[in-house]
Every structure is written in structure tokens, then in C-alpha cells.
Amino acid sequence: MSTLVEDNPAKHRFEILVDDALAGFTAYLPRGEVLVFTHTEIDPRFQNMGVGAALVGGTLDELRERGTAVVPRCPFMAAFIDRHPEYADLVTREP
């Protein structure tokens, strides 16, 4: 199973492709240098396969490289960050 996480700025979301099929996304609202994440959704065909974790982890890795902070209003992303404290430094308050 090959995965690719990429930003789709036109739709304000990061998407994950699994074997070239859209498997899910995490939506955001851009607020200057901060992205406010509001919702994460994984296609039912790809649930319970680690795709959600791969999506959020890949998204946060990309944002770390960019120097972008996040506000995890999405419960899935917030829980992921709680379980992976190495990403806690990316979290900021809503601008």
C-alpha cells in the first residue's frame, strides 16, 4: 500500500492518496501563518488501516518544514497530537 499526503490549497485541505485513490482529507481554515484544522475524514474503505494517522502525521511533518503553526479544532487531529507529543510544539492558539 503506497500513500501520498499532499496539500490541496484550492480546497483548503490536505489529502491522502492510497495507491492513487483519494482515501481521506483533513480540512483547514488559513489564518495568516496559522492553519486551523476543523475536520478529518477517511473513506470507509480505508478506515482502521492507519490511514488517518498517516494523513495527520504527514500533514504535521509538512507544516513543520514550512514553519506553520496549527490550531487542532478537529478532535481527531487533537487526539493524534496528544498521543504524539513530538508535534505539540506546532500547536498555537487561534489567531
Side-chain angles (χ1 to χ4, degrees):
M1 175 172 84
S2 69
T3 62
L4 173 67
V5 175
E6 58 188 4
D7 191 6
N8 184 339
K11 292 188 175 182
H12 299 292
R13 67 189 197 180
F14 278 81
E15 300 172 339
I16 188 165
L17 303 175
V18 174
D19 297 330
D20 297 323
L22 180 63
F25 64 88
T26 186
Y28 61 82
L29 301 170
R31 299 288 185 256
E33 295 299 314
V34 175
L35 296 182
V36 179
F37 283 86
T38 58
H39 180 69
T40 300
E41 190 171 313
I42 301 299
D43 184 296
R45 296 174 297 148
F46 297 98
Q47 291 179 352
N48 302 313
M49 298 171 60
V51 173
L55 168 61
V56 173
T59 297
L60 294 172
D61 289 341
E62 172 69 24
L63 295 177
R64 182 183 303 286
E65 287 182 26
R66 292 184 194 176
T68 302
V70 302
V71 175
R73 267 204 264 153
C74 165
F76 186 88
M77 181 173 277
F80 181 90
I81 293 170
D82 285 345
R83 287 189 314 273
H84 297 88
E86 64 271 23
Y87 293 110
D89 63 307
L90 297 175
V91 176
T92 190
R93 289 205 228 171
E94 198 157 345

